Amino acid sequence: MTQNIIEINDVSKIYHLGGEVVKALDGISLNVEKGEFVAIIGPSGSGKSTLMNIIGCLDVPTKGEYALDGKSIKDYNDNGLAKVRNEKIGFIFQQFNLLSRLTALENVELPLVYQGIEAKERRQIAMDCLKRVGLENRYTHYPNQLSGGQQQRVAIARALASRPSILLADEPTGALDSKTGKEVIEMIKEINREGQTVILITHDLKVAQSARRQIVLADGKIVEQGGEV
Amino acid sequence: MSIAQAVKMALKNIYTNKLRSLLTMLGIIIGVAAVIALVSIGNGATTKVTDQVKSLGSNLINVNIQGRGVQRSISYDQAMSYKNIKEVKYVSPILSANTNVSSENITKKVSIDGINDEYQKIREYDVDYGRFILPIDVDYRQKVAVLGSNIVYELFGSSNPIGNYIKINGSSYKVVGVLAEKEASMMENINDKIIIPISSAQRQFKSAGVNAIYIQATSEHTVEAAKEKIEKKLLKYFKNDDDSFRLFNQQDMLKTMGTITTTLTMALGGIAGISLVVGGIGIMNIMLVSVTERTREIGIRKAIGAKKRDILIQFLIESVVLSTIGGIIGVGVGLLMAKGASSVLDLQFVVSLNTILLSVGFSWFVGVIFGLYPANKAAKMNPIDALRYE
Ligand SMILES: Nc1ncnc2c1ncn2[C@@H]1O[C@H](COP(=O)(O)OP(=O)(O)OP(=O)(O)O)[C@@H](O)[C@H]1O
Ligand SMILES: [Mg+2]
């Protein structure tokens, strides 16, 4: 039985810059099933991040329908969207985006703090996630005491902490050297093999090809879909 | 997110930015310290003035004779007739003058009070050496004098004055007693005075009348009644010219003093309160800077699920925690200042719990009011824009 986690139907995102109209996304339709590993590629400015922000409920489409876990995001208000981001989405950013004043453990705990989970349970879950990315003995370190690769692994642990429906990674290796980049990609693949749905934006064709499915964007449109569809 | 969690986060943040936090709190610290110190000093002054008025004697009624109109003055016997009023216990008419007094050593201008024996009971004076003025001294116009504790030292040094003579305007008076030292009030300093029988004073200063009358009522409940009866008699005597005398009792004085000092205390407190508001503006200023600096943090928090309310509470609590800590430090500093000032000014150190609670409460309130705008600004940020902020 297959189940669509993401159903995107004819979604557009239009920006007005001065008098100019920018169609960042132009009639995108896309379904993602539970457990899939989807890679999104495309030239700079093609709308990859815009699409990712919409999938991650950081932004809403100008036109079209988007349903997450069978529920249209139009049904959520601001608070509802925050709750969706908190419970169903795990973000991994190119710039890691860890809070510099918090330790690795506290960073991983943060999504759980906003869920109102008890401190003890929160620590337990966060430690488990740090273990999953192999950083359990670095939990007291602050981000500036960790290497880039380690910081990104903390960010992955944070994204996993709330057991999200989808893991969204926007060029997670963009700020890393190729060796640590590979390690991070391997880790994400491993997490996917354990059943986690993953959507990954990358510039690396090899990485993209290793995903089960590729989506190529250009000028805000899907121009090609490959892999097992 | 729970409030406790937010307070913990705020404390951590304040701790990591120690210097900035301290500078931010400075306005509140100074404001609260000023309120506490000034109000405490004001209260100390009130207590002191009240004590002084009370030290004049209890259940006291004071008559000052201005001597105008047809009837210019009041005689000793007329004044003593008020003793027949049921509510009156003691009456002491007074004739005072400033004049030259000399001993073998020096000559000095001194304030002299001509009094009778009841004066001692009304004013509660103790005699250190010798005796007070007796009825017989008044009856027979004895030329005897009782000296205040300062003046005796100035006239006689440390040698025993009892039995020695002083010259008042050239005539000799025998020193029969020395008064015990009594704390000087704003109104008079008995330690610098010489007292003699009023009959002798009248002859000495060539006056048949008296300047003032001290009257003690039988109890605190009869003061008002006594005052009214005396006023009636005085009005009759002075042919309804109420400018000829001033009549007031201790309660009147306390009330007047009380209004003056509370007005003063409130004015001081008010001025200090303004500095609290200025402190609040300082907090708002820093909070706004902090919100801008932490735009990216806000974006990250929102991306991983912080609601508007979570961000609002985070920043609001930070500002409230800042202002409250500032308030508490301010109370400590204020109390120290008040303590120092009251020992320098020789006031009683009065701590008013109300003032402390009020100023901590007010600084808390300042934190809420001036934190609200920056916190709301943070909460309203769009997560994508905030994430992109460099
Ligand atoms: N807030 C905005 N206002 C106006 N235009 C925007 C805004 N955000 C994105 N765009 C435009 O939308 C288009 C798509 O941007 P997007 O960031 O999605 O590209 P991308 O595929 O992620 O590129 P890159 O590979 O460089 O990250 C771009 O032309 C960009 O200029
Ligand atoms: Mg992008």
Side-chain angles (χ1 to χ4, degrees), chain B residues 30-328:
Chain B
I30 292 172
V32 170
V35 171
I36 299 280
L38 291 178
V39 170
S40 165
I41 291 166
N43 286 341
T46 309
T47 314
K48 182 167 185 166
V49 169
T50 311
D51 287 350
Q52 284 183 358
V53 172
K54 282 188 182 151
S55 78
L56 294 179
S58 45
N59 310 324
L60 192 69
I61 298 164
N62 223 323
V63 183
N64 281 342
I65 309 295
Q66 322 280 86
R68 302 196 201 191
V70 198
Q71 193 66 44
R72 291 183 162 270
S73 80
I74 191 165
S75 71
Y76 178 75
D77 290 339
Q78 173 67 27
M80 284 313 284
S81 74
Y82 299 154
K83 214 179 163 181
N84 298 331
I85 296 170
K86 187 166 88 241
E87 290 86 356
V88 170
K89 196 166 166 196
Y90 297 120
V91 175
S92 174
I94 295 168
L95 176 66
S96 45
N98 270 319
T99 189
N100 279 330
V101 173
S102 46
S103 67
E104 277 177 8
N105 307 329
I106 59 161
T107 301
K108 213 181 169 289
K109 205 155 189 104
V110 182
S111 164
I112 296 177
D113 278 357
I115 50 102
N116 67 9
D117 57 298
E118 295 187 6
Y119 183 80
Q120 187 188 16
K121 292 166 187 145
I122 296 173
R123 302 298 299 273
E124 293 162 2
Y125 287 137
D126 291 329
V127 174
D128 243 5
Y129 304 103
R131 61 170 177 87
F132 203 73
I133 305 290
L134 300 175
I136 194 170
D137 297 326
V138 180
D139 291 347
Y140 291 95
R141 282 202 195 107
Q142 292 298 306
K143 289 176 142 190
V144 293
V146 176
L147 309 187
S149 59
N150 284 346
I151 197 72
V152 74
Y153 188 78
E154 287 180 53
L155 293 174
F156 291 100
S158 44
S159 64
N160 183 8
I162 307 290
N164 281 326
Y165 286 86
I166 54 170
K167 282 207 159 75
I168 298 176
N169 259 353
S171 31
S172 285
Y173 282 72
K174 188 176 179 183
V175 177
V176 293
V178 176
L179 291 175
E181 192 175 338
K182 199 165 180 186
E183 201 190 338
S185 73
M186 305 187 319
M187 289 142 269
E188 65 169 5
N189 186 354
I190 188 66
N191 305 322
D192 287 339
K193 280 193 174 180
I194 293 176
I195 52 186
I196 58 176
I198 186 160
S199 50
S200 317
Q202 284 177 326
R203 172 168 291 181
Q204 185 75 51
F205 304 131
K206 298 183 179 64
S207 163
V210 304
N211 302 129
I213 314 168
Y214 284 167
I215 297 158
Q216 187 174 39
T218 49
S219 82
E220 58 181 306
H221 308 292
T222 56
V223 173
E224 272 309 314
K227 189 185 160 193
E228 269 170 39
K229 287 186 182 173
I230 293 163
E231 184 162 26
K232 226 177 258 165
K233 280 182 186 273
L234 282 166
L235 275 174
K236 197 172 151 209
Y237 184 81
F238 282 106
K239 313 228 170 355
N240 283 329
D241 178 7
D242 61 4
D243 280 339
S244 294
F245 61 92
R246 287 268 174 282
L247 180 69
F248 53 93
N249 64 13
Q250 220 172 14
Q251 272 75 11
D252 296 339
M253 273 165 83
L254 283 176
K255 231 184 274 167
T256 316
M257 291 297 179
T259 359
I260 294 172
T261 49
T262 33
T263 312
L264 207 70
T265 306
M266 272 162 62
L268 291 176
I271 291 167
I274 292 173
S275 63
L276 259 180
V277 173
V278 175
I281 295 170
I283 286 197
M284 174 144 93
N285 187 19
I286 297 292
M287 288 305 293
L288 281 172
V289 172
S290 165
V291 166
T292 309
E293 271 180 4
R294 287 153 70 190
T295 300
R296 213 179 154 82
E297 174 189 332
I298 294 164
I300 295 168
R301 286 180 185 274
K302 286 197 155 189
I304 61 173
K307 299 186 174 87
K308 262 188 190 165
R309 195 178 140 267
D310 295 322
I311 304 290
L312 184 88
I313 285 178
Q314 181 189 338
F315 281 91
L316 198 56
I317 282 187
E318 213 169 294
S319 121
V320 171
V321 168
L322 264 178
S323 67
T324 309
I325 293 178
I328 290 167

Side-chain angles (χ1 to χ4, degrees), chain A residues 56-195:
Chain A
C57 293
L58 277 173
D59 208 349
V60 288
T62 317
K63 264 197 325 221
E65 277 297 325
Y66 167 36
L68 178 67
D69 272 343
K71 217 172 159 216
S72 169
I73 58 132
K74 281 189 182 146
D75 297 345
Y76 297 109
N77 59 10
D78 251 18
N79 273 347
L81 287 176
K83 200 163 142 76
V84 169
R85 288 199 292 272
N86 188 212
E87 291 170 356
K88 302 195 169 185
I89 312 284
F91 275 109
I92 302 169
F93 303 93
Q94 183 176 354
Q95 297 303 332
F96 322 137
N97 279 346
L98 299 174
L99 295 189
S100 56
R101 277 187 291 236
L102 302 186
T103 62
L105 185 72
E106 287 165 338
N107 264 289
V108 177
E109 275 184 52
L110 205 54
L112 307 170
V113 169
Y114 289 120
Q115 281 178 18
I117 292 177
E118 280 287 297
K120 215 172 146 197
E121 191 187 349
R122 214 160 65 198
R123 262 179 91 88
Q124 187 63 49
I125 298 172
M127 271 315 271
D128 286 347
C129 292
L130 278 176
K131 240 175 242 164
R132 257 176 106 178
V133 298
L135 285 176
E136 66 271 27
N137 49 9
R138 293 280 195 282
Y139 70 99
T140 54
H141 288 226
Y142 286 89
N144 61 6
Q145 300 167 328
L146 295 167
S147 74
Q150 287 171 331
Q151 288 184 54
Q152 194 60 300
R153 276 148 68 193
V154 172
I156 292 173
R158 181 179 67 186
L160 293 174
S162 56
R163 300 173 193 282
S165 306
I166 4 162
L167 195 62
L168 300 178
D170 190 344
E171 295 186 52
T173 60
L176 301 173
D177 62 66
S178 56
K179 186 170 160 284
T180 37
K182 253 180 215 145
E183 285 168 18
V184 164
I185 292 293
E186 274 315 308
M187 184 161 283
I188 292 173
K189 279 187 184 168
E190 172 62 29
I191 288 163
N192 170 252
R193 273 196 290 278
E194 287 164 13

